[in-house]
Amino acid sequence: MENKDLNTKEENTWCPGCPDFSILESTKRALVELVNENKIEIKNTAIVTGIGCHAKIFDYLELNSFSGLHGRVLPIALGMKIGNPKLTVIGFGGDGDTYSEGMEHFIHNCRYNSDMTMIVNNNQVFALTVGQPTPTSEKGPLKPLNPIALALTAGASFVARGSALDIEHLKNLIKEAILHKGFSFIDILQPCIVFHNTVPYFQKNIYKLDPIRDLTNSKEAMERAEEWDYCFDRDQKIPIGIFYKKERPVFEEQLPHNTWYTQKRKTDWQDLTKDFH
Amino acid sequence: MENKDLNTKEENTWCPGCPDFSILESTKRALVELVNENKIEIKNTAIVTGIGCHAKIFDYLELNSFSGLHGRVLPIALGMKIGNPKLTVIGFGGDGDTYSEGMEHFIHNCRYNSDMTMIVNNNQVFALTVGQPTPTSEKGPLKPLNPIALALTAGASFVARGSALDIEHLKNLIKEAILHKGFSFIDILQPCIVFHNTVPYFQKNIYKLDPIRDLTNSKEAMERAEEWDYCFDRDQKIPIGIFYKKERPVFEEQLPHNTWYTQKRKTDWQDLTKDFH
Amino acid sequence: MDGYLKIRGIEQKSSHGTSVLVGGLFYFQIIIFCDILEDIMEKTILIGGKAGQGTAVTSHLIAKIFCHLGYYVFNYRDYPSLITGGHNFNVISISDKPISSHKDKFDIILALDQKTIDLHKKNLNKGGIIFDGKGLKPIFGNNVLIGKLFKYFGVDKSPIFKAFEEEFKEKAEMAKTAIEEGYNSIEIKEKLVKNGKEKYLLSGNEGLSLGAIAAGMDIYIAYPMTPATSILSFLAKRQLEQNILVLQLENEIAVVDAAIGASFVGAKTMVGTSGGGFALMTESLSLAGMVELPLVIFLGQRTAPSTGVATYTGQGDLKFALNPGQGEFPRVVVAPGDAKEAIIRTQESFYLSSKYLAPIIILGDKHLSESSYSFDNIAKSSISNSRFILDKIPLNYKSYQITKTGVSPRLVPGQGPVVRANSYEHTDFGNTTENAEWIIKMNDKRQRKQESIAKETKKLNPVSIYGKGRNLIIGWGSTKGAIIDALPKLKNFRFLQISYLMPFPKEEVLKEIKKSLPAGRQAKKIILVENNSTGLLGDVIAEQTGFIIKNKILRYDARPFTAEYLINEIHGK
Amino acid sequence: MDGYLKIRGIEQKSSHGTSVLVGGLFYFQIIIFCDILEDIMEKTILIGGKAGQGTAVTSHLIAKIFCHLGYYVFNYRDYPSLITGGHNFNVISISDKPISSHKDKFDIILALDQKTIDLHKKNLNKGGIIFDGKGLKPIFGNNVLIGKLFKYFGVDKSPIFKAFEEEFKEKAEMAKTAIEEGYNSIEIKEKLVKNGKEKYLLSGNEGLSLGAIAAGMDIYIAYPMTPATSILSFLAKRQLEQNILVLQLENEIAVVDAAIGASFVGAKTMVGTSGGGFALMTESLSLAGMVELPLVIFLGQRTAPSTGVATYTGQGDLKFALNPGQGEFPRVVVAPGDAKEAIIRTQESFYLSSKYLAPIIILGDKHLSESSYSFDNIAKSSISNSRFILDKIPLNYKSYQITKTGVSPRLVPGQGPVVRANSYEHTDFGNTTENAEWIIKMNDKRQRKQESIAKETKKLNPVSIYGKGRNLIIGWGSTKGAIIDALPKLKNFRFLQISYLMPFPKEEVLKEIKKSLPAGRQAKKIILVENNSTGLLGDVIAEQTGFIIKNKILRYDARPFTAEYLINEIHGK
Ligand SMILES: Cc1ncc(C[n+]2csc(CCOP(=O)(O)OP(=O)(O)O)c2C)c(N)n1
Ligand SMILES: Cc1ncc(C[n+]2csc(CCOP(=O)(O)OP(=O)(O)O)c2C)c(N)n1
Ligand code: SF4
Ligand code: SF4
Ligand SMILES: [Mg+2]
Ligand SMILES: [Mg+2]
């Protein structure tokens, strides 16, 4: 399989130069490599998007895909996973989407630990609605929320930060996230070059976490998470890479059920109704 | 002012012996003491409740009060505070209410830091709908969420845990919470004696945090928060008291406005519309 | 049945106190006797007590035993929103003829506390009896009362014991002692004889659950909310046995969106809630309409607006259920009238939803959900259980292929071709578009689907007519029971029950209305019966047919209709 | 105006190319000449380019300058949901007579890119001109085109410069160079003379915002959503100046609940959203109805269902807006038809909401929100701004006191007495109840409020009638502009605009319908005009009056009506 097999004929309407293009590219590369490594099957892969600039990826990937609602990527993705646990499910959300409108789903899905991947194109702005602040914006009177720290506290089993300015690094993160068994979360630093252009700051301050340190150390993960507060008023080092990774029981495997998603069900009506007689 | 001045004539429909009675008592004592200490005015005090057993406090307090929706205590309370910042606003939620249905408001209000108090009667069960698990339940396949840790991560400026089994201690917490300038959060351990009776475990394992240590140490606060994981499978020490307390700018004071809530507004129509001419 | 009422009239001449066991006896027997003359036996038993005292379970056991004896039973449950204390009661009406509602007056009161006596004595029929259980040990006392009750009716202990064994398995033994105690404490006062075949006893929520299982449902997702909650617990208990998945998620938004996600990949999914939770689902209803995926939603109404009277009934959400979510998209609203219809309508809902790829709302209420109905049998519908997913993979698959019926052939992710669901307006391949022609095409396609559904529901008995007579009662949903029970006592009335409210069975309804329009000198009545305060179905009928119904019997005190209530009202009109 | 069309007919005989500047001129002048003969001057200018090229700002400046010159202007904006690239355009129709819609055909195209020419050339009137700005520097180029345009019309530079100074203050200088460049590059082709008083230019969202400020709004809360977003930014800019609070919260649920909380303590509050966000608010709408607090909601419709066509228009939410939230409670739905009406209706909404303690939905759409309308003046309504909160504290205050009008005298927390808001059914003191009598009383009280509101809206011009003629067009909301502009060109038609959709002005509507019912041999037409695919207002009229309208002109390609479109459709009927 090649990258171009994932192309569609749809006209791309991101701003020229938008780092969302890089995220698209990293995603394609990650999927293609995983397919070629026989780790996933493309026909069993499906994505879910929110609403916002980020969500336009829906039209640019030749994949099973669900363009859902603003803020609701995660419950739709969860439904797809429980509906057919054989699928590789990947969600794409915006920061407005995931941390503002649908914050409850973010916290709860970190807890559920369903085996899927959540990718947030975090440009620290509502871009498609032309530039209002989001919960991760440094603008406005409030301190930004730190989604890495929140994910760790809420129990996510794979927590990473990527940069849309580093396609290969991001590709590797996406691969690892998909391969991780459990809820994998990647917050991607994605400068919006129109409304929130943070490219220079990121170029100056981003550094890569050592990928072969002990990834199961939640204390250290939290310390790393707090190195950057999502503000730009002073230079702070911004770690990218995996903060935390530790398997724990997966949601769909803990549910008391059988193979509802494959089996033809035959109900014995007599038996079913005997209690009511 | 005396406790009984806060009584209503409504029939109390909590189960006999429910620790919600103690929370009611602590609340009354706290309010009465604050009034008598000239720290609050009762006519400027207003409560908001969710829906659930906890919410019945609405009918048992002779106070300005809003019985709202399941999960929506916090936005209603926030609205009241910005609508009239002179008010002392106290929210009462359940764990189902606050951590399940309306989790996004919990996270965001920790961040907003409006000067109000949020009290959660956390009985680790949906009681009024007869006993389903909530996000803080140890039942079911999932690990409970730790609301203390979440509040800390989300930026709450006053984070405490109370016990419904210790009326005086709880009273003091409520007083401190109300007096704290900013968003004050108390998670109250409230055994539901019908669906989730944890009285013996709490009696055995609860201990009190030293109230005069450095309350601004967020690292220590987080460590304390993690002492108990909201499970009951083994004995763990459960700290109650204030985990963290540190003032930071308050929401309503950072908003770019004047005194909209008192002033009679006079619009100069000519001036207002001149831009459109 | 006027005779029946007359007998009650005779009764009222008695000066005997109501709570006197022996004194009441004589008159009671007269009633029985007269009822037999009329070839009908009816008894109503109220059992009341504090929440936590087990009125629900006890009433269920009593109802069950009567069903075993072959009697028809209706069991109404009335309880406030609290866990321990307060006042709960059940009203069990039994009869040797089909009965589908409870009565306002009681022949026997089983009182677990004094409050039961204080509150309900006034509704004891003259000659009625109170069995006072207060002071007895909890639960044990309930069983003592059961013993008394059945001894009174001359019923053998064996069917009682059998019911307990079925319900409690090994744990039934202790109950037996209590039953014996009650049994031995009084004398047989009359002899109820076995009344034919055993009956099925089923609540509305059980009917909905059975229907869902029969329809091949894979996943049920919910957030607890009265009166839908018991579906969640019923199904959860049968997860393994029925190989279904039952989930509670963080809130109703997560519930409905997960259901739509699961539906996208092929699972048959249902969610259940009440008005407040349904409101939170409306954005996603519009989503389901746009992406064209199956979704079955049970909306159990309760007394609204807002939190309202959380454990009581009402029919105030009809127009909300018909118009939820932004924009125009195909949808179905079906309102079963009793537990048996709940089975069938739920199966139909899955069928329609799967075949036409549209959201379906099953509109019930607390009265349907939590009342128990009895039936001779509870056959399921033979409607297809197909998922309507293609087996053969077509070339050049288009998720939103334009077709005559409006229905696009369906694949799901995993079958091979790319499958898309798009909340934006889209091309047939499912890609986002702002193109005017595609917008029109897709709108027309969805509109055609609504028409295709209408053709199909026409065949699914969208309306039912009961009784004969020139006058017409029109109703929907759970009022069915009381209206049907009232019919024999009303002169010249028939009842039009509208089950499918969307697509609306315009012609069928208009036909009945026309039959009852005043013609010449003959006065005819058309009366709307609804459990709400403005007559919402009346609005819908006007919208759909242009016919405005002026004559309305509306009950909105959070309580369901009874036959007596209706008869009084109609005689007042 | 048939003459006008005829002239266009003559024009079409020309074989001149459309993009030739000089060649087109002659015919253009003929048109002007003929228009003058008819005592009317109309021009339509399209300006198109990529998102980010500033078509919106440029079109606004052009519109503004024409307003300064005393012309009437309508500015329609068409843009896809993207930030840079794609294709945007504005259509500015100007006239010396009031105009409230844009035209399908253009006299001048200002092209910022080639796509503009490719897409729109076909709609250039014969004799029309294209000013091609592609290749010019961004923004600079736009101003060059402005210079050309006004030179072409023989307009002095001074009003142009004035408009730029007003808009850009000191920053206007650079623009002037560009304007000069354009101005100097072509010759004057005709001479537009000043047309009386300067006009006001106002978008629907600006009208809503001004109305809210005029009504004494304290707080506006929103979560961004097209087409309501620009209210948020408009008001945010005026926070300090107007002493209002403007807030964005985490989602629409937080928005509406915070608004209700603020309302509880006395603040006048408004929220704004579109269909998806509105859906999320419906649980709280039922709450507002139950707790009886003021709440003003702007629902700006866009092409639905679901995310739909996010930056385009539609009227598909009418029945959703009329029936949101569980249960029956008083509510108001008002749909302004243009920017000026938006001011008045917003003031009325605050008035009604404050006085009758009920949620009010202002139902608009993208076309109203984002189009600019011109007016001779924009007076506000003189309706009361009172908060309707008691100054004098009554003894024994009851939050839900039962009154004849249904309205309970209002206090807010802080005044002294305990004030309660209860989402459960309640007593007059606001305490929770399950008592049947209280339930009925409170239902009746709320119902009476709906009636009191109806009496009041009767006085607020719930409907308007434009034009004369036996045939009737019925419409609501933003279709008003195109219908009014079409009227002079239709024979024997009048237009009934329904502004208050709830409480529905039954009598007023029925009166007009009856006037246009076919009588004797005289054929009359009643035509429904809506920007949706099923004719939702038709349903509402049927529901309320029993009259079913068969003749419908429905546009649902996400685009608004134009007068030409309507005329064509009507002549086709
Ligand atoms: C329920 C709802 N509310 C609001 C919107 C409007 N809306 C569309 S995109 C968007 C912001 C997107 O911001 P983000 O998620 O950060 O994505 P970005 O555009 O920055 O990639 C909003 C608020 C919507 N579509 N649905
Ligand atoms: C939107 C909505 N969903 C569901 C409910 C039903 N409901 C009422 S109380 C309750 C559970 C309450 O649990 P919790 O908040 O923990 O309070 P507790 O009863 O345990 O004190 C639920 C789910 C509701 N009222 N509204
Ligand atoms: S607005 Fe920002 S996020 Fe959106 S496409 Fe343009 S650069 Fe990218
Ligand atoms: S059910 Fe539990 S929480 Fe509710 S009143 Fe009873 S003991 Fe208290
Ligand atoms: Mg963003
Ligand atoms: Mg709880």
Side-chain angles (χ1 to χ4, degrees), chain A residues 12-21 52-54 56 121 123 125-131 190-196, chain D residues 82-84:
Chain A
N12 192 310
T13 61
W14 280 319
C15 303
C18 174
D20 279 340
F21 281 99
C53 288
H54 61 92
K56 295 184 175 212
N121 296 21
N123 51 14
V125 73
F126 287 121
L128 195 59
T129 50
V130 303
Q190 177 246 316
C192 164
I193 56 176
V194 174
F195 299 113
H196 196 258
Chain D
L82 54 79
I83 303 300
T84 318

Side-chain angles (χ1 to χ4, degrees), chain D residues 236-267:
Chain D
K237 270 188 222 131
R238 284 157 184 80
Q239 273 196 97
L240 279 173
E241 170 196 312
Q242 296 299 329
N243 192 27
I244 51 177
L245 175 62
V246 181
L247 263 190
Q248 174 188 310
L249 291 177
E250 65 268 27
N251 59 24
E252 289 86 350
I253 299 176
V255 164
V256 70
D257 289 337
I260 293 172
S263 181
F264 178 52
V265 302

Side-chain angles (χ1 to χ4, degrees), chain B residues 66-67, chain D residues 260 286-293 400 420-423 426:
Chain B
F66 195 133
S67 157
Chain D
I260 293 172
S286 181
L287 172 68
M290 185 62 147
V291 296
E292 304 196 36
L293 286 172
Y400 296 101
R420 286 185 186 270
N422 195 345
S423 77
H426 38 254

Side-chain angles (χ1 to χ4, degrees), chain B residues 13-15 18-20 53 123 127-128 190-195, chain C residues 83-84:
Chain B
T13 62
W14 280 320
C15 304
C18 174
D20 279 340
C53 289
N123 50 14
L128 194 59
Q190 177 245 316
C192 164
I193 56 177
V194 174
F195 298 114
Chain C
I83 304 300
T84 317

Side-chain angles (χ1 to χ4, degrees), chain C residues 119-138:
Chain C
L119 284 171
H120 300 286
K121 205 170 66 180
K122 66 175 188 295
N123 291 321
L124 193 62
N125 282 319
K126 285 282 156 64
I129 297 145
I130 294 173
F131 289 122
D132 190 344
K134 63 173 191 288
L136 293 174
K137 264 193 296 173

Side-chain angles (χ1 to χ4, degrees), chain C residues 80-81 279 282 286 306-308 317 319-320 323 325-328 423-425 434 444 447 532-534 543 556 559, chain D residues 80-81 276 279 282 286 306-308 317 319-320 323 325 327-328 423-425 434 444 447 532-534 543 556 559:
Chain C
S81 185
T282 52
S286 180
S306 203
T307 316
D317 302 353
K319 284 165 72 181
F320 184 34
N323 299 291
Q326 70 269 31
E328 298 157 290
S423 76
Y424 279 106
E425 194 54 279
E434 288 160 338
D444 289 345
Q447 213 51 50
N532 57 42
S533 68
T534 58
E543 173 191 296
Y556 52 97
R559 275 70 183 170
Chain D
S81 186
T282 52
S286 181
S306 203
T307 315
D317 301 353
K319 283 166 71 182
F320 184 34
N323 299 291
E328 298 155 292
S423 77
Y424 279 105
E425 194 56 277
E434 287 161 338
D444 290 345
Q447 212 52 50
N532 58 43
S533 68
T534 58
E543 175 192 295
Y556 52 97
R559 274 70 182 171

